[in-house]
Amino acid sequence: MKLIVECREFCNMDASMRYKRLLEKKPDAALGFATGATPLELYHELARLYRAGEISFARARAFNLDEYVGMNSDNANSFRYFMNKYLFGRTDFNVANTYMPYCLSRESLTASHYELLIEQAGGIDLMLLGIGRNGHIGFNEPGTPFGSITHVQQLSEETRAANSRFFYSPTLVPTYAVTMGIATIMHARSIILLAYGREKAQAVHDMVAGPVTESVPASVLQLHPDVTVYADAEAAALL
Ligand code: GLP
């Protein structure tokens, strides 16, 4: 696991260069994306590079990590809406090549369909992750088996509370989400994880320096051969 502790501007710029280099080499690369506040600046930077003519996503495929169960794409709280707004709609992504693990009800999940789509794309070349305060990646909460594939996950109260800042009222935060599993994430050829701010310090410590355990989902990344963790000084404060 490579750890880079730098200011956010540097981290986002350096991470954006990974996309530029990858897409130059492989224009149809499969890219895994995350939502949340953390990747926003990186997405701004990727959009800026696109406007400057330095990067093209025209042939790239996108696979998002997760989505709330039962949320339509026109709902402003859906991750599809978020991705269209901050990345896909600001670059030359072909929206037909951008995928989310949709499911309208807990029973209707076609997890194997999403896994198959990823497999048919040749696997994910570069997976972007954030990290939850309790060490979750995607929506894989503590205790999720390392062997898990795309599945419906009940969200912890802590995660619902953390995500309530995006909703009108905390009661509107869904209780279930569909997420790539830990094994799905671990199959990606390369992984970038961004962690910014003091509230991520414990999770970053446990991910990087703690034991590899299902109670800290991100600790599994210690076992992956190509992971880069970008952290600002606040997020790295306990290391
Ligand atoms: C959500 C997402 C994760 C994200 C995490 C942290 O739970 N499912 O993918 O990493 O929140 O979000 P933020 O970047 O807003 O702190």
Side-chain angles (χ1 to χ4, degrees):
M1 183 182 270
K2 184 173 170 194
L3 174 66
I4 298 179
V5 181
E6 284 287 350
C7 67
R8 296 180 193 196
E9 290 72 18
F10 178 90
C11 293
N12 294 324
M13 214 180 59
D14 203 58
S16 72
M17 288 300 128
R18 295 279 300 267
Y19 289 87
K20 182 170 153 63
R21 286 196 298 270
L22 172 62
L23 289 166
E24 276 166 4
K25 225 171 37 187
K26 187 175 179 187
D28 65 346
L31 307 172
F33 287 113
T35 52
T38 307
L40 275 178
E41 290 302 322
L42 171 60
Y43 294 162
H44 287 319
E45 182 57 21
L46 291 176
R48 192 193 66 76
L49 286 175
Y50 163 70
R51 287 195 306 275
E54 290 185 40
I55 199 169
S56 171
F57 299 93
R59 293 179 54 206
R61 281 81 49 82
F63 292 91
N64 258 75
L65 261 178
D66 45 19
E67 179 59 285
Y68 291 117
V69 168
M71 213 174 256
N72 281 319
S73 51
D74 54 359
N75 186 317
N77 284 122
S78 73
F79 292 164
R80 160 61 73 185
Y81 190 96
F82 176 102
M83 290 306 299
N84 286 351
K85 178 168 174 187
Y86 293 111
L87 188 64
F88 303 150
R90 291 185 175 179
T91 56
D92 58 348
F93 261 106
N94 177 353
V95 177
N97 290 335
T98 65
Y99 303 94
M100 316 284 296
Y102 275 127
C103 79
L104 286 176
S105 72
R106 275 195 280 154
E107 297 72 36
S108 71
L109 175 67
T110 46
S112 52
H113 179 60
Y114 201 56
E115 297 285 330
L116 193 69
L117 282 175
I118 294 174
E119 208 182 299
Q120 282 168 349
I124 293 175
D125 292 295
L126 182 57
M127 180 79 232
L128 178 68
L129 300 174
I131 186 167
R133 295 168 205 199
N134 59 6
H136 73 244
I137 46 177
F139 267 130
N140 294 287
E141 295 282 25
T144 307
F146 282 166
S148 54
I149 58 166
T150 302
H151 63 283
V152 169
Q153 177 85 46
Q154 180 161 13
L155 303 181
S156 68
E157 280 316 306
E158 189 183 0
T159 298
R160 291 186 70 234
N163 285 357
S164 66
R165 67 204 137 116
F166 301 114
F167 289 78
Y168 273 133
S169 146
T171 56
L172 295 176
V173 185
T175 310
Y176 291 93
V178 52
T179 179
M180 282 185 195
I182 303 274
T184 324
I185 293 169
M186 289 293 280
H187 278 137
R189 279 184 270 284
S190 302
I191 298 176
I192 292 177
L193 185 144
L194 307 178
Y196 302 142
R198 183 70 181 83
E199 69 274 16
K200 301 295 172 70
Q202 189 64 52
V204 168
H205 169 272
D206 296 349
M207 162 177 67
V208 174
V212 176
T213 162
E214 288 179 353
S215 29
V216 181
S219 68
V220 74
L221 299 176
Q222 291 179 33
L223 306 177
H224 191 284
D226 184 4
V227 175
T228 307
V229 173
Y230 289 96
D232 65 3
E234 290 183 320
L238 299 179
L239 289 173

